[in-house]
Amino acid sequence: MKLNIKKLNPNAVIPSYGTEFAAGADLYACTNGETVTFQPGETKLIKTGLAMEIPEGYAGLIYARSGIANKRGLAPSNKVGVVDSDYRGEIMVSLHNHSTKTQEIADGERIAQMVIAPFLKVEYTEVEELTDTVRGEGGFGSTGKK
């Protein structure tokens, strides 16, 4: 599949896959040479300098990169960002500093990863009753630990 990308900033970096079988393509900070500083508990919107034409029936799902999330505590504030196929604005990542230390993001640094995934569009239909299952209304932890 090909995905059209427009550079909104000449310094923007096109997403790239870290390995041949990687599901997510790395997104890069585009901060015009600036370093962005995050205090503990702070959230900031980081630009990528890119706009995309995601095909109809697909969405761009933005996830944390395990390296900066586990080692530095920086991860998307909304856990998973969703880029709809009709969005043509700049792709940005809302990063949150979950750590107790000040953290920095440099221009051109890999800040998140995006997976292009198909989705089903459903019609929600209100009914009086739902079909029964073995699990029923069992919620969090209802299926046990092991």
Side-chain angles (χ1 to χ4, degrees), residues 15-81:
S16 65
Y17 293 97
T19 67
E20 179 183 2
F21 298 109
D26 292 327
L27 296 175
Y28 298 80
C30 186
T31 61
N32 293 318
E34 302 286 323
T35 297
V36 180
T37 302
F38 292 80
Q39 297 303 319
E42 189 173 27
T43 300
K44 291 188 177 180
L45 208 53
I46 306 297
K47 294 181 176 187
T48 66
L50 301 171
M52 300 180 185
E53 192 174 310
I54 296 172
E56 185 178 332
Y58 291 83
L61 304 177
I62 299 176
Y63 296 98
R65 291 193 71 253
S66 59
I68 67 169
N70 291 327
K71 295 176 184 172
R72 296 166 51 196
L74 293 171
S77 64
N78 54 346
K79 307 306 178 211
V80 178

Side-chain angles (χ1 to χ4, degrees), residues 3-137:
L3 193 142
N4 294 331
I5 293 182
K6 179 181 179 181
K7 279 191 173 187
L8 304 174
N9 184 313
N11 299 322
V13 178
I14 300 295
S16 65
Y17 293 97
T19 67
E20 179 183 2
F21 298 109
D26 292 327
L27 296 175
Y28 298 80
C30 186
T31 61
N32 293 318
E34 302 286 323
T35 297
V36 180
T37 302
F38 292 80
Q39 297 303 319
E42 189 173 27
T43 300
K44 291 188 177 180
L45 208 53
I46 306 297
K47 294 181 176 187
T48 66
L50 301 171
M52 300 180 185
E53 192 174 310
I54 296 172
E56 185 178 332
Y58 291 83
L61 304 177
I62 299 176
Y63 296 98
R65 291 193 71 253
S66 59
I68 67 169
N70 291 327
K71 295 176 184 172
R72 296 166 51 196
L74 293 171
S77 64
N78 54 346
K79 307 306 178 211
V80 178
V82 178
V83 182
D84 297 314
S85 65
D86 59 348
Y87 177 67
R88 294 294 184 269
E90 183 168 10
I91 304 297
M92 294 183 272
V93 178
S94 179
L95 280 182
H96 180 78
N97 182 0
H98 295 275
S99 79
T100 58
K101 298 179 182 174
T102 299
Q103 300 291 338
E104 294 183 340
I105 290 291
D107 188 34
E109 186 173 344
R110 295 179 294 171
I111 56 170
Q113 58 183 323
M114 185 164 62
V115 174
I116 304 298
F119 65 88
L120 298 175
K121 189 84 169 196
V122 300
E123 180 181 332
Y124 292 93
T125 305
E126 184 178 0
V127 297
E128 294 296 323
E129 296 292 328
L130 301 175
T131 59
D132 287 331
T133 65
V134 173
R135 182 175 181 174
E137 294 182 17

